[in-house]
Each structure stands twice: as C-alpha cells, then as structure tokens.
Amino acid sequence: MKNNRGQPIQTPFYYGWVVVMVAGLSVFFSGPGQTYSISIFIDYYIEDFEYSRSLVSGIYSAATLLAGITLFMMGRLIDRFGQRAMMVTIGSCLALALFWNAFLLGPIMMFFGFFMIRLFGQGSMTLIPNTLVPQWFIRKRGRALSIMAIGGFASSALLPPLNTWLIESFGWRMTWGLWGGALLILFVPLAFFFVRNKPEHIGEVPDGTPKPVKGETVKNPNVEVNEKSWTLKEAMATRAFWFILFCVIVPALVNTAITFHMVSIMDLRGLDTGVAAMVLTLMAVVGFPVTFVSGYLVDRFKVHYILAITFFGHIFTLVVLLFTNSWWMAVAFGVFWGFVNGFERIVLNIVWPNYFGREHLGSIKGLAQTVMVVGSALGPLPFGLFFDWLGGYQEVILLTILFPVTAGILALLSPQPKYEDYHA
C-alpha cells in the first residue's frame, strides 16, 4: 500500500485537506486508548475486581511503559511501509484490542489490554497522522495541524461523558465492544480509501503550490530547513533534539497522571464523577479554539519561545489545581488546562518536522512518541502511591511542578539547529 494509487476523488481544492480530515479522525479514534477515556473505567475496575488503586495504577503504568518501548519500532515501520498501510493496520489492531478489553477476567488480561490500547491507540493512532500531515504541508503546516487537532479535542470532549453514559447504561464491557465496532466500520474503510502518503504520489506538491523560488520572501521562517531532512542519528547529535525530547515527556507525565486520577482528585474535594468528566470535557472545549491561535503563531514565530510560554502555563495550571475545592474552581482549572493543552498539542507536533524535515520524520517522531508514552507511563503510579500512603495528592502535585519549570528553561535553550553547522 506504500505505492499509492492516484487521487481517489477529484476535489476543487488541494487534496491535502482531505488527508487532514482523515488524520483528524485517526486522532479522534485514538481516544479509547487515551487516559481521558480510560480514566472513566478505572473506578469500575477497582469496584468489580476489588483491586487497590495503586495496583491498577501499577498495571497501567507497566503496560504503558512496555507500549512506549515498543512504539519506537512503529516509526521505522511508518518510514518503510507508509502511513496509509500503517493507518489501516493499526486501526484494525486497535479494534481487536478493544474487543479484548471487553472480556477482561484478571490482572494479566488487564495488563495486556492496557498494553494494546496504549500501543495502538495513544501511541500509534496519534503518531501516524502526526507524520502524515507534515508530508502535505510546509508553509501551512501549523494551520493544517490545528485543523487535525479538532479530532483530538472532539475526542477528549466527547469520550469522558459518553463513556460515563455508556457504562452506566450498558456496562463497561459493552462500551469497549461498541468502540471496537466503530473503528472497524467507520474509520478503517475511510483510511484505506482516502489516505495517500505524500502529495507527490498524486502529482501534487506540499501546500498545493510550487516551492518558493530562491530569494523569495516567505512568512514561515522554517520553510527552508524543512527541505533539508535530517536522519535520526543526525538529529540526535544536536542539543535541541535532547532538550525538546525532555519537553515531550513533561506534558505526557503530568497530564496523564492528573487525568488518570481525575475522578479520585475531585472526589477528595467533595466533587462527584460528573464534575470530573465535566473538567475533562471543558479542557477539550477550551483547547479546541486555542489550537487555531497556536497554529497561527507557530507559522510566524520561533517555536521554542512558544513552547517555553506553554510550560509556564503548565505551572500556573498546577497551582490552580492545588487550590481547587469547589465547582467554580474546578471550572477554572478546566479552562486554564484547556488553554495550555491547546498550545502544547500543536507546538510539540510541529517542532519535529520544522527542525528536522520530512524524509525521516517517522523515525524521529517515533522516538519522540516513544518518550511521550514512557512519560505517560511514569505519571499515574506515583500519584496512586501518594494517595495510598498519605490519603491525598497535594504533595505529589507540588513535586510535579518541578517538571514544567525545568522544561520551560530547556525550551528557551532550544533554538532551531542550523543544518549547515552539522553538515560542513
């Protein structure tokens, strides 16, 4: 499937926007493997299986860690077989993983269930579209990724309350099965028919316009470096690569920990499951329009400055969470969290193709996605342990603030590396 057929449908506009729509659906259907969806199931697992919170957190963290390590190979497979083949294959695998979760019987099945939905859902179903869209856009990359991000925010807004309703109405087993069926019936056929790996495969060029001629002034200062592709080994020789890689860990660790334990955090403040689901939905609703602002900014300003500002926003958001003890404070936390999330989704996805080009993006973004999933694995367990030891989350939230502080400083120290400095 890597050697694509021609354009499947004739459109009066650049076909890359059709690819963006399918990529957005891929991000949407990664939802069942994302923590904002899984978190709704956790208390039901604890009740039905009579497990401790730290045990379920440990199973989840271990499974996510293994998924993160395995995910590194997905990037290489994308470079080898192309996004279209991988999107169809991974979509089918995720559906089967969801069916598996519908039949959980104990901790071993739970471990493999978490492992599969984290590898195929959170990891691969977001990695593939984030390597696909940059192939189709250079000057309009920020805007294209902003539109693709609609799928992610729609997913994080709809799935928490929808899962709550489905579980209460049909049970958690049936809920997993319904999501598996939706993937096979809706997403996989669309990916097979409409996705093409590169504009060159249908006689187009990135952005749908000719490349800028030498000496032409362009609004996006990153256009030229995008035409010079670094290999993974070359990228790893730069300081910026490692600093940005740490920056990738932080939101994955922090957001996953908070989302995973959101129901419990709100419960300790006297707020019910509905408020927890509302916070997750509000985060997504607020973050959605913010992605368009961040998409506009990253097309015009240096990415590492915007990334640094994002992490200082993380610090403020965690402080708000520390003082959340009422419904209106929960709303404030959801709003600030959504604002920060809207920025980080775009900036952390655009920085890799902008810094290191398109040709080896699968391998480079694959490693970054691996680190991200590993970061998400490390978050929930400490929160669960602090809860079991101290009966709350205040202390671990205070310690967590150190991570965005460090990431903000490293982001400021990570300007775009110059290709010539490493290829003399």
Side-chain angles (χ1 to χ4, degrees), residues 21 31 76 87 119 165 203 227 268 298 309 336 341 411:
M21 295 298 107
R76 295 186 179 275
M87 194 173 280
L119 174 62
W165 178 78
E227 298 305 304
L268 287 177
V298 294
I309 293 171
F336 290 125
N341 202 259

Side-chain angles (χ1 to χ4, degrees), residues 42-51:
I42 297 306
D43 281 52
Y44 294 97
Y45 282 4
I46 292 172
E47 180 180 352
D48 287 3
F49 293 105
E50 298 182 347
Y51 296 158

Side-chain angles (χ1 to χ4, degrees), residues 189-270:
L190 290 174
F192 177 81
F193 185 73
F194 289 108
V195 170
R196 297 295 179 267
N197 294 336
K198 294 182 178 181
E200 293 86 349
H201 292 169
I202 61 169
E204 284 275 10
V205 293
D207 297 310
T209 56
K211 297 178 183 178
V213 297
K214 188 175 181 180
E216 180 183 353
T217 301
V218 292
K219 291 184 178 180
N220 183 357
N222 300 304
V223 168
E224 293 304 321
V225 76
N226 275 304
E227 298 305 304
K228 299 172 182 176
S229 293
W230 306 57
T231 64
L232 175 60
K233 183 178 180 180
E234 291 169 341
M236 291 173 70
T238 68
R239 181 183 70 178
F241 178 88
W242 296 105
F243 282 7
I244 297 297
L245 206 59
F246 179 84
C247 292
V248 170
I249 295 176
V250 173
L253 186 151
V254 175
N255 292 342
T256 304
I258 293 172
T259 303
F260 187 87
H261 295 288
M262 179 60 67
V263 173
S264 179
I265 292 172
M266 292 297 120
D267 182 63
L268 287 177
R269 315 295 170 86

Side-chain angles (χ1 to χ4, degrees), residues 171-198:
W172 58 265
R173 296 183 187 275
M174 179 63 73
T175 301
W176 284 125
L178 290 172
W179 282 117
L183 263 163
L184 284 180
I185 295 170
L186 298 177
F187 174 73
V188 172
L190 290 174
F192 177 81
F193 185 73
F194 289 108
V195 170
R196 297 295 179 267
N197 294 336
K198 294 182 178 181

Side-chain angles (χ1 to χ4, degrees), residues 239-240 242-251 254 302-316 318 340 344 347-348 355 400-415:
R239 181 183 70 178
W242 296 105
F243 282 7
I244 297 297
L245 206 59
F246 179 84
C247 292
V248 170
I249 295 176
V250 173
V254 175
K302 294 185 181 297
V303 175
H304 68 296
Y305 289 143
I306 301 174
L307 185 58
I309 293 171
T310 301
F311 284 116
F312 292 121
H314 261 286
I315 298 167
F316 181 74
L318 289 171
V340 170
E344 73 185 23
V347 180
L348 289 175
Y355 275 29
T400 301
I401 292 176
L402 294 174
F403 288 97
V405 169
T406 305
I409 295 171
L410 293 182
L412 287 173
L413 298 174
S414 305

